[in-house]
Amino acid sequence: MNFQLDDFAFDLRASLAPAHHIWVGSGRGTVAPLANTAAGVKGLFSPPFAARDIQLLLDIEADGHAVSDTGNLGKGDCGLLYAGGEWRPDRITRRGTYHYMHEGRLISLSVRSSLVPLADSAGFVLSAAIVNRTDRSMQVGVKPRLTPGRLRFQPLDDWDYGHPEPGESAQMIAPGIWENEEVRLTLLQDDERSSLLAPGEEAVYRFSVVLTRCGEECPPGSLADWEKRTEDVWRERIERMCGSVPRLESDIPGLDDYYNRSLASGLVCLWEHPDFAMSPFPVVSGMEGAGVCCYPWDTGGYAGRMLAMMIGSGKMIELATLMANSGIESHSRFSPSGAGKDVPYSYNMWSFFNLVWSNMQQNGEGRQLYGTMHRLLLSEEERFPARWELLDYGSQHNLLEMRSAAHEHIVASPNAERAWCYDLLADLAEHPDVRGSGENARPGRKAGQMEAGQMEAGEEEAQGNAPTGQAAVEQAALWRGKAERIRQSIRDHLWDEEAGWFNCVYPDGHKERVYTIQAYDALRMGVCTESMKEALLSHLREGAFLAPYGVSSISAEDPLHYELNDPDWSGGGCYTGEASMLALILWETGESAKAWDVLRRLLWMGQHLPYFPQEHYCDRPAVPAHKRANVIAGLSGAEAILFGMAGLQPAPDGSLKVFPQPPSEGRVSITGYVHRGRRIDIHMKPAHCEILCDGTTVYEGMPALIVIPCGTE
């Protein structure tokens, strides 16, 4: 087994995340500790239930003296003092200390709490282990103090990117039971009696909060068993989801932390809820109860290859089918029930193609979705207005949601991705067994021209399998011709030779030149000539796109569009996934030194965040407090390392190419990558690599492209 639960443990003393970004989830629900407390709880979400402002505090009584745990930041007798904690995927443990003279007698207690979200119900277990540190026996008891807040039942159709609206305030209807017209909250505790603790003796107290529908009793059970159940579920989940994911070990400070935290970012987004449209369901965020929905762009665009390893082929096909059925061409995202939400999003089609292609590469399956891919491609052409060979993808709401006139309407990306999609469809049409698909979208590919009206020639395939024989060859030529004309149109109409950058063209002909990180996507889509590539890379420098702690989504040298209040896509930082994706693109295009220079700026994130947030700053190691606490695109960090630095290139036919590009410093080992029944290990150091297949060295020497023949399942 490559990973254990403790591999993802994180010391919260090192955290740079805003306090309200720290949550822990079970795959069924998520709960948060109250900041600066040793055992307080503040917030619980478990769809369809929401209890955003629930609060549970524990009041300790020791020898008749009340010891509160409120996070008091004053001086003197402030009650229990928070002394640190640890985040783990299944729980948050915290430590507290009380050491104070009261009426001439020392009261000294240590407290170790564990906050565990329930795996099978909507709720959590909170345990507190209290140790008497004095040299005398003490009577110790614990009483819970619960504020239920405004409880909400929200149908799964309505869970989206924001938090559910608060419900009505709940009222106590019986001891330990609160209700409003929608939800019942039940507070349970193992033992209400106080304990006489001898010197050095420990007592453990457990409490649980469970949410059910109004009038419904909570399920019976042992709180200790519920706590253990979540741990067992997480251990099994990690074994199942990380069985094909390799380990990384390195003497480069922070690299292994960054890799593991990237994996943790994906694990916490894979919810296994029995009522969701599929399980696991990849939510975009969700840790703090918002973003319990799926965006194709984040899931397929940034995390496709990692998900293909983590959830397996059958679930990848199920996910792609769910995306298509949600109305991917009409909505930017879909709820846990599969219901489409919001307006069309310009990157959805490419993200869907990339998700399917990632599964073909890793697992060799997905060709049955050819008809769906074909239909979506034709739908894209019909829905958007076109000029030259390029589509007008609409306004900010359909694109990057920048806060100024910029990356809108006719843009290089996602038109460049559209060309890639045509090439992939051509490969699938031409190769029924999907062999050879790994060559799609290479720069410089030439093909015949498509005449007006010939697009309709393949419409019959949109409902089923790809054409065969000569029809397949002809169809593939049409797709490739279309792809090349899109690329040429980008060069002819959007490239500004003098500026060395792409323009965006509005319907009235107005042009905007925005120095956005999104332009670098064109490098991997076969659009750029060598001179265009050199021009784009010339802007990738310190003080422009590069900063000490990452990459800016907009170059700091762009006076029209650069701003600091929205790092996401407007500057001063970037959406998590963009900087690591840029590193991957640079590795893919042979710019190894530049790729490592980008990735190394992100390593602070692995050392200071339990999981990666929606976005982060780049001029300082910090996270915007007003954005989502986590994001599934955090998996792109591991994707960049495995498929960029380590150079793994799996193909649908079962073969594997490996082209390591080690950094200029330190040693890196990638061990336990599983592809079609083979185990691949890669050891790297500057200007040297060793590649092993099933424990046997197949290459050692200067980094080079190595082909490993087809494996067997």
Side-chain angles (χ1 to χ4, degrees), residues 36 38-39 60 67-71 78-82 96-98 109 111:
N36 302 317
I60 301 171
V67 179
S68 63
D69 178 28
T70 62
C78 296
L80 194 61
L81 305 177
Y82 172 62
T97 183
Y98 185 81
L109 304 171
V111 175

Side-chain angles (χ1 to χ4, degrees), residues 563-604:
E563 51 114 335
L564 293 176
N565 288 336
D566 187 26
D568 196 14
W569 292 109
S570 299
C574 68
Y575 174 77
T576 295
E578 272 305 302
S580 45
M581 191 59 64
L582 174 60
L584 175 58
I585 291 169
L586 292 168
W587 268 308
E588 287 176 343
T589 53
E591 298 291 338
S592 178
K594 286 183 170 62
W596 173 242
D597 185 41
V598 168
L599 192 75
R600 68 176 179 82
R601 298 167 190 265
L602 307 175
L603 299 188
W604 66 272

Side-chain angles (χ1 to χ4, degrees), residues 473-593:
V473 174
E474 293 174 356
Q475 186 67 76
L478 294 178
W479 295 145
R480 292 199 176 106
K482 180 68 172 179
E484 183 53 33
R485 292 202 306 281
I486 292 170
R487 295 187 181 103
Q488 190 59 53
S489 197
I490 293 173
R491 299 180 197 116
D492 292 343
H493 299 287
L494 301 185
W495 181 253
D496 186 323
E497 188 70 35
E498 183 176 349
W501 204 258
F502 296 107
N503 289 322
C504 309
V505 180
Y506 282 65
D508 64 359
H510 171 72
K511 293 183 179 180
E512 285 282 335
R513 185 186 311 123
V514 52
Y515 290 89
T516 171
I517 192 173
Q518 208 64 31
Y520 290 103
D521 286 356
L523 288 174
R524 69 193 317 205
M525 302 300 169
V527 169
C528 298
T529 64
E530 191 61 32
S531 63
M532 291 170 66
K533 175 184 174 182
E534 291 177 4
L536 287 170
L537 293 180
S538 71
H539 297 274
L540 199 60
R541 59 179 183 270
E542 204 82 33
F545 278 104
L546 301 183
Y549 298 97
V551 179
S552 179
S553 55
I554 298 293
S555 171
E557 296 182 336
D558 185 337
L560 296 178
H561 306 102
Y562 175 83
E563 51 114 335
L564 293 176
N565 288 336
D566 187 26
D568 196 14
W569 292 109
S570 299
C574 68
Y575 174 77
T576 295
E578 272 305 302
S580 45
M581 191 59 64
L582 174 60
L584 175 58
I585 291 169
L586 292 168
W587 268 308
E588 287 176 343
T589 53
E591 298 291 338
S592 178

Side-chain angles (χ1 to χ4, degrees), residues 353-684:
F353 272 57
N354 193 57
L355 183 82
V356 176
W357 172 237
S358 295
N359 194 52
M360 290 180 183
Q361 289 178 300
Q362 179 65 24
N363 301 310
E365 298 179 0
R367 182 170 169 73
Q368 63 267 44
L369 292 167
Y370 173 89
T372 302
M373 298 164 76
H374 189 174
R375 175 182 62 79
L376 290 173
L377 195 66
L378 296 181
S379 173
E380 192 95 334
E381 299 293 330
E382 294 168 358
R383 285 186 301 113
F384 294 109
R387 184 175 182 184
W388 309 303
E389 288 283 348
L390 308 177
L391 296 186
D392 182 333
Y393 283 100
S395 63
Q396 293 292 0
H397 202 174
N398 308 104
L399 284 152
L400 301 182
E401 297 181 325
M402 289 178 60
R403 308 195 312 170
S404 57
H407 192 265
E408 299 180 90
H409 296 291
I410 301 176
V411 291
S413 170
N415 269 298
E417 286 88 332
R418 177 169 150 252
W420 181 92
C421 292
Y422 274 109
D423 264 339
L424 178 56
L425 205 63
D427 283 336
L428 298 183
E430 195 171 46
H431 301 281
D433 57 359
V434 298
R435 285 195 294 269
S437 297
E439 297 300 311
N440 70 287
R442 292 193 309 180
R445 169 179 278 180
K446 302 297 181 183
Q449 298 297 302
M450 182 186 298
E451 301 298 331
Q454 282 192 292
M455 182 66 69
E456 290 76 16
E459 287 184 354
E460 65 274 12
E461 287 84 43
Q463 302 303 320
N465 294 325
T468 58
Q470 184 60 32
V473 174
E474 293 174 356
Q475 186 67 76
L478 294 178
W479 295 145
R480 292 199 176 106
K482 180 68 172 179
E484 183 53 33
R485 292 202 306 281
I486 292 170
R487 295 187 181 103
Q488 190 59 53
S489 197
I490 293 173
R491 299 180 197 116
D492 292 343
H493 299 287
L494 301 185
W495 181 253
D496 186 323
E497 188 70 35
E498 183 176 349
W501 204 258
F502 296 107
N503 289 322
C504 309
V505 180
Y506 282 65
D508 64 359
H510 171 72
K511 293 183 179 180
E512 285 282 335
R513 185 186 311 123
V514 52
Y515 290 89
T516 171
I517 192 173
Q518 208 64 31
Y520 290 103
D521 286 356
L523 288 174
R524 69 193 317 205
M525 302 300 169
V527 169
C528 298
T529 64
E530 191 61 32
S531 63
M532 291 170 66
K533 175 184 174 182
E534 291 177 4
L536 287 170
L537 293 180
S538 71
H539 297 274
L540 199 60
R541 59 179 183 270
E542 204 82 33
F545 278 104
L546 301 183
Y549 298 97
V551 179
S552 179
S553 55
I554 298 293
S555 171
E557 296 182 336
D558 185 337
L560 296 178
H561 306 102
Y562 175 83
E563 51 114 335
L564 293 176
N565 288 336
D566 187 26
D568 196 14
W569 292 109
S570 299
C574 68
Y575 174 77
T576 295
E578 272 305 302
S580 45
M581 191 59 64
L582 174 60
L584 175 58
I585 291 169
L586 292 168
W587 268 308
E588 287 176 343
T589 53
E591 298 291 338
S592 178
K594 286 183 170 62
W596 173 242
D597 185 41
V598 168
L599 192 75
R600 68 176 179 82
R601 298 167 190 265
L602 307 175
L603 299 188
W604 66 272
M605 297 174 67
Q607 297 170 309
H608 295 291
L609 299 170
Y611 37 75
F612 295 161
Q614 174 188 345
E615 59 200 71
H616 55 87
Y617 295 111
C618 63
D619 299 299
R620 62 192 189 278
V623 173
H626 63 291
K627 295 296 185 76
R628 296 281 83 91
N630 71 300
V631 72
I632 195 169
L635 276 173
S636 64
E639 191 155 306
I641 291 169
L642 295 179
F643 301 99
M645 179 193 296
L648 295 168
Q649 300 175 33
D653 66 356
S655 64
L656 176 68
K657 297 177 182 177
V658 185
F659 189 4
Q661 299 183 65
S664 57
E665 56 183 299
R667 296 174 178 267
V668 183
S669 289
I670 305 289
T671 57
Y673 171 63
V674 178
H675 183 249
R676 314 294 180 89
R678 298 162 296 182
R679 175 191 166 109
I680 305 299
D681 301 328
I682 304 170
H683 304 289
M684 296 177 280

Side-chain angles (χ1 to χ4, degrees), residues 151 239 282 292 376 416 518:
L151 307 179
E239 181 177 1
V292 186
L376 290 173
Q518 208 64 31

Side-chain angles (χ1 to χ4, degrees), residues 233-362:
V233 164
W234 263 109
R235 290 190 186 280
E236 185 277 331
R237 182 178 295 150
I238 289 171
E239 181 177 1
R240 169 166 39 94
M241 292 184 177
C242 295
S244 296
V245 177
R247 290 188 65 90
L248 182 149
E249 295 179 350
S250 175
D251 59 4
I252 300 173
L255 181 59
D256 49 356
D257 289 327
Y258 177 79
Y259 181 79
N260 285 352
R261 301 265 64 87
S262 173
L263 296 180
S265 301
L267 287 168
V268 300
C269 287
L270 294 171
W271 286 45
E272 297 189 294
H273 192 299
D275 299 327
F276 282 13
M278 68 171 289
S279 178
F281 183 90
V283 305
V284 64
S285 295
M287 285 300 284
E288 91 274 30
V292 186
C293 58
C294 179
Y295 277 76
W297 192 24
D298 308 79
T299 305
Y302 291 90
R305 282 183 277 193
M306 294 305 303
L307 286 178
M309 282 190 278
M310 295 174 76
I311 70 174
S313 183
K315 289 297 181 180
M316 287 288 281
I317 300 299
E318 184 179 356
L319 175 58
T321 302
L322 181 60
M323 282 185 180
N325 291 342
S326 75
I328 191 173
E329 66 271 40
S330 304
H331 303 288
S332 64
R333 55 192 183 269
F334 54 94
S335 71
S337 68
K341 313 294 288 186
D342 205 40
V343 301
Y345 199 61
S346 57
Y347 288 92
N348 274 6
M349 185 186 68
W350 174 78
S351 302
F352 180 82
F353 272 57
N354 193 57
L355 183 82
V356 176
W357 172 237
S358 295
N359 194 52
M360 290 180 183
Q361 289 178 300
Q362 179 65 24

Side-chain angles (χ1 to χ4, degrees), residues 50-228:
R52 185 176 183 178
D53 49 3
I54 185 178
Q55 181 169 285
L56 177 62
L57 300 175
L58 300 185
D59 293 327
I60 301 171
E61 190 172 89
D63 274 355
H65 177 63
V67 179
S68 63
D69 178 28
T70 62
N72 190 324
L73 300 179
K75 300 293 185 181
D77 188 356
C78 296
L80 194 61
L81 305 177
Y82 172 62
E86 180 184 80
W87 181 92
R88 212 172 66 169
D90 66 321
R91 69 188 59 220
I92 289 175
T93 56
R94 285 169 286 171
R95 300 179 301 280
T97 183
Y98 185 81
H99 190 79
Y100 207 81
M101 299 294 295
H102 178 67
E103 296 180 350
R105 302 183 75 186
L106 178 66
I107 297 178
S108 186
L109 304 171
S110 73
V111 175
R112 186 183 72 257
S113 75
S114 182
L115 178 59
V116 178
L118 299 181
D120 299 318
S121 302
F124 62 85
V125 171
L126 174 67
S127 66
I130 301 175
V131 176
N132 173 14
R133 297 187 300 199
T134 69
D135 57 3
R136 69 181 191 282
S137 295
M138 272 198 302
Q139 197 75 29
V140 176
V142 179
K143 293 183 179 181
R145 182 159 33 114
L146 186 135
T147 304
R150 298 163 293 174
L151 307 179
R152 176 76 187 277
F153 179 91
Q154 177 160 292
L156 295 184
D157 277 357
D158 299 328
W159 286 75
D160 200 0
Y161 195 65
H163 284 102
E165 292 296 323
E168 298 297 322
S169 296
Q171 306 299 322
M172 180 179 283
I173 63 169
I177 300 177
W178 291 259
E179 268 191 0
N180 62 19
E181 293 184 353
E182 294 183 324
V183 182
R184 169 177 287 192
L185 183 155
T186 303
L187 173 64
L188 305 170
Q189 58 187 103
D190 268 352
D191 193 340
E192 298 184 15
R193 296 174 299 175
S194 62
S195 303
L196 183 64
L197 298 185
E201 189 176 1
E202 177 185 88
V204 178
Y205 305 85
R206 285 187 177 86
F207 306 86
S208 180
V209 167
V210 180
L211 303 178
T212 56
R213 291 301 301 267
C214 175
E216 291 183 3
E217 295 185 2
C218 71
S222 158
L223 305 194
D225 289 346
W226 290 354
E227 187 176 4
K228 182 65 165 56

